Every structure is written in C-alpha cells, then in structure tokens.
Amino acid sequence: MALAIETNGLTRRFGSLLAVDGLDLRVEAGTFYGFLGPNGAGKSTTIKMLTGLLAPTAGAMHILGEPISDRRKALEVKRRVGVVPEDLALFDNLTAREYLTFVGRMYGLPLPTVRERCEELLAIMDLDHEDKKLTLEYSHGMKKKLTLAAALIPNPDLLFLDEPFEGVDAVSSRVLRDTLKRCVQRGATVFLTSHVLEIVERLCTAVGIIANGKLVHQSTMDDIRRSGSSLEDRFLEAVGSDQVERQKLSWLEG
C-alpha cells in the first residue's frame, strides 16, 4: 500500500536540545494514525516538520509520495494537506465565515465552492449562529472547531491534527469524531496527536509512540488488541512505566 507519510532519520535540534532523534515513520494511506507520547516527547515538533513549518536538522521525509525537500513539489503537496496546529493561529478581527473564505481562497478553490463548503462546515461545527462575532471573542473550544473547519475546507488527502479535542465539549467532540471517521472512509489519512488514549483507542487503526524524540513503538491497533494489552498498557511499557511508580505523594501513603 502507498505511504502517506514516510520519514528516514528525521531529526531536529534546538541548540543542545535534541527534540526529534532519527525518526523513521511509516504511515499507510487511508490510515487513522495516532501519534502518542508524553509531554515534551517531540510530537508537535514532528508535525511542524511534516507540514513544512519547521526545517529538519537532518533526515528526509516524503508526504503523499513527494519529497518535501523539493520546494515546487512541497507546494503542490500542501494544497492536499489540512492542519490543526498546536497553537491556534487565527485572524482575530475576522468572523468565522470571513476566515474560512480566506483559507479556501488561499488553497485556490473557486469562490462558489468555498461558499458552499463554508456554510456546511459552519453548520456542522455549530458556528453558523455566531455570524457577527469576531474570532477574537471565541472561546478556546470554538477556536478549535473553526481551525478544524479550516483544515477540512480543501477536502484534504492528509490531515494533521495536534490535540484537536482539547477544550471541546462532548457534543462537539462526537461530531468531530464522526466527521474524521468519514474522512478516513473516503480514503483520507488522519495523523492525530492526543493525550486522551480512550479517543485514540476508539478512532485509530495504527499508532506510533515517541519518547525523548525517538520512536519507541509502532503497530496497528489490531495487533495490540490481539496481544491482550490495552493501548494504555502498551503506552506505559513503551515510555517507561517506572515513572508511574515514582509519582506518588508521601502523605497519601500509609
């Protein structure tokens, strides 16, 4: 099967800090892939490199079969990719409709297509009644939903989602999950980071676990289930379950 994401020795340094250390990822097209790790493991740095926001210190990567090192091909690939970043970078003084229209036009979509998709996205994200409100006035959850709507407007072949469910209410979370499932059903690839393992276990078909910048585990969810383990068990084994034992308060013991 074709690979949506392939990296070889992907590395990123920030001075003396080795944030991502020789990452070799293989994500098949059409996969709902969960990219897991403790805080500071290198997940967001990896996504920034994969989406072209951050240049790697070393290594190579192919996205949707194309080398990102080739600027012309990288631009073509970006037209087929949607991103919900860790930091929600919105234009504060635009309404949701204005922002989605801007994003759609930046992707080169015809204006009638942008308008049609914009109305559907606003409705499904329950933002259509906030017509006059600027994004500056949005709650964190509303901003998260708007950012996801912007990621979906080009009908991407690959979606990068950095903690998309954080700060989103239960009803909206269900809508987002169902929407992402439909994206995968039609052939798109979703690359998701989340600290909520229950969501990953429910949605994802494959997972990779990163710790201290290194990929320490990669498998399908079916393999994990067949082994009799839960995703939480596999995660703790991969990142070091001894950390759990150390994190106890002395006055609660006894």
Side-chain angles (χ1 to χ4, degrees):
M1 183 178 285
L3 294 177
I5 301 171
E6 181 180 11
T7 71
N8 295 285
L10 193 64
T11 301
R12 176 66 200 198
R13 287 185 177 274
F14 296 97
S16 60
L17 174 65
L18 187 57
V20 176
D21 185 7
L23 200 64
D24 294 330
L25 275 176
R26 304 288 184 273
V27 179
E28 293 184 353
T31 299
F32 205 132
Y33 190 91
F35 191 52
L36 311 176
N39 290 328
K43 301 186 299 297
S44 294
T45 299
T46 299
I47 286 183
K48 287 176 182 177
M49 288 191 286
L50 294 175
T51 55
L53 295 175
L54 190 64
T57 305
M61 51 188 171
H62 286 71
I63 304 297
L64 299 174
E66 300 291 352
I68 296 302
S69 56
D70 184 319
R71 282 192 172 186
R72 181 182 60 81
K73 290 183 177 179
L75 182 60
E76 293 172 2
V77 167
K78 287 178 181 179
R79 295 185 188 278
R80 301 167 58 196
V81 171
V83 184
V84 174
E86 177 186 28
D87 302 316
L88 303 180
L90 298 171
F91 294 115
D92 289 344
N93 293 315
L94 295 181
T95 65
R97 184 171 283 101
E98 289 169 341
Y99 178 71
L100 290 181
T101 301
F102 168 76
V103 172
R105 296 296 283 161
M106 287 295 291
Y107 271 101
L109 298 175
L111 188 56
T113 301
V114 172
R115 287 173 174 163
E116 180 182 353
R117 292 182 182 178
C118 179
E119 295 310 314
E120 288 188 33
L121 285 165
L122 289 174
I124 201 169
M125 299 297 175
D126 194 31
L127 296 173
D128 50 339
H129 60 288
E130 303 288 356
D131 197 47
K132 303 299 182 183
K133 185 178 288 188
L134 301 179
T135 60
L136 174 68
E137 306 169 80
Y138 275 19
S139 67
H140 179 77
M142 292 168 67
K143 289 180 178 180
K144 184 75 76 171
K145 290 193 289 184
L146 178 57
T147 307
L148 181 58
L152 290 171
I153 202 167
N155 192 21
D157 295 318
L158 175 58
L159 266 170
F160 289 99
L161 309 176
D162 199 347
E163 294 289 350
F165 299 101
E166 181 189 19
V168 177
D169 62 77
V171 174
S172 297
S173 178
R174 178 63 179 268
V175 171
L176 299 188
R177 293 200 308 269
D178 290 346
T179 301
L180 295 174
K181 285 179 181 178
R182 285 194 290 272
C183 287
V184 174
Q185 287 168 359
R186 70 157 184 81
T189 305
V190 175
F191 189 89
L192 164 76
T193 74
S194 177
H195 290 295
V196 185
L197 297 185
E198 291 84 358
I199 287 178
V200 175
E201 198 160 19
R202 189 180 307 160
L203 290 177
C204 294
T205 54
V207 295
I209 300 174
I210 185 174
N212 298 317
K214 291 181 176 291
L215 188 68
V216 293
H217 179 82
Q218 188 167 224
S219 69
T220 67
M221 280 303 306
D222 283 343
D223 286 341
I224 292 175
R225 294 185 184 105
R226 278 193 293 266
S227 72
S229 297
S230 67
L231 180 57
E232 182 180 48
D233 291 337
R234 189 62 59 90
F235 180 83
L236 293 176
E237 289 170 8
V239 304
S241 57
D242 60 313
Q243 295 180 27
V244 178
E245 295 301 319
R246 290 199 305 267
Q247 293 174 5
K248 294 180 179 179
L249 297 174
S250 60
W251 62 88
L252 298 181
E253 303 301 312

